[in-house]
Amino acid sequence: EYLMSKVIERAVEQSIADADLDIIGLLLTSQKHNAKQLEKFLLHFICTNWVPMSKKKEYELLKGENLKYIEKNRWPPKSYEVEDTKYENEL
């Protein structure tokens, strides 16, 4: 599991959006194989890199508890986007 996290780090070093690595597919596979440490790492990775991850086509594969967790813990939070939009509209 630790080795996989290092593989991911190297794959996304230049750009998460352009990385040729299916992070969400890895998350789903880690859950099937009960790789809890890898699952937690991938959920954290997706949440903290929400903007580029949400633009990847694989994002549509997230459902149920995974999607709920990511939407709740994403960065930036939805509340920030709402406030930022209000601010931009007031300028």
Side-chain angles (χ1 to χ4, degrees):
E1 294 175 20
Y2 174 76
L3 179 60
M4 185 54 71
S5 70
K6 292 300 174 189
V7 169
I8 292 166
E9 279 181 28
R10 286 191 194 105
V12 300
E13 197 169 44
Q14 299 298 319
S15 170
I16 292 169
D18 297 333
D20 189 27
L21 189 60
D22 181 4
I23 302 293
I24 293 168
L26 285 172
L27 170 66
L28 299 175
T29 301
S30 72
Q31 291 171 331
K32 283 182 188 175
H33 295 283
N34 203 28
K36 294 296 183 186
Q37 185 178 352
L38 182 57
E39 174 186 359
K40 288 178 184 177
F41 170 78
L42 292 167
L43 284 168
H44 173 76
F45 183 88
I46 295 166
C47 289
T48 56
N49 296 289
W50 184 82
V51 173
M53 291 300 301
S54 67
K55 294 176 183 172
K56 293 180 97 37
K57 63 182 178 181
E58 296 87 11
Y59 192 80
E60 296 174 5
L61 297 174
L62 293 171
K63 297 185 182 355
E65 291 301 313
N66 285 334
L67 186 58
K68 192 185 304 183
Y69 179 87
I70 290 167
E71 290 295 322
K72 179 181 177 191
N73 296 287
R74 70 181 224 181
W75 187 259
K78 189 169 233 149
S79 60
Y80 172 83
E81 289 184 348
V82 169
E83 291 299 318
D84 186 52
T85 301
K86 282 183 191 176
Y87 175 78
E88 291 293 327
N89 290 336
E90 290 174 1
L91 291 180

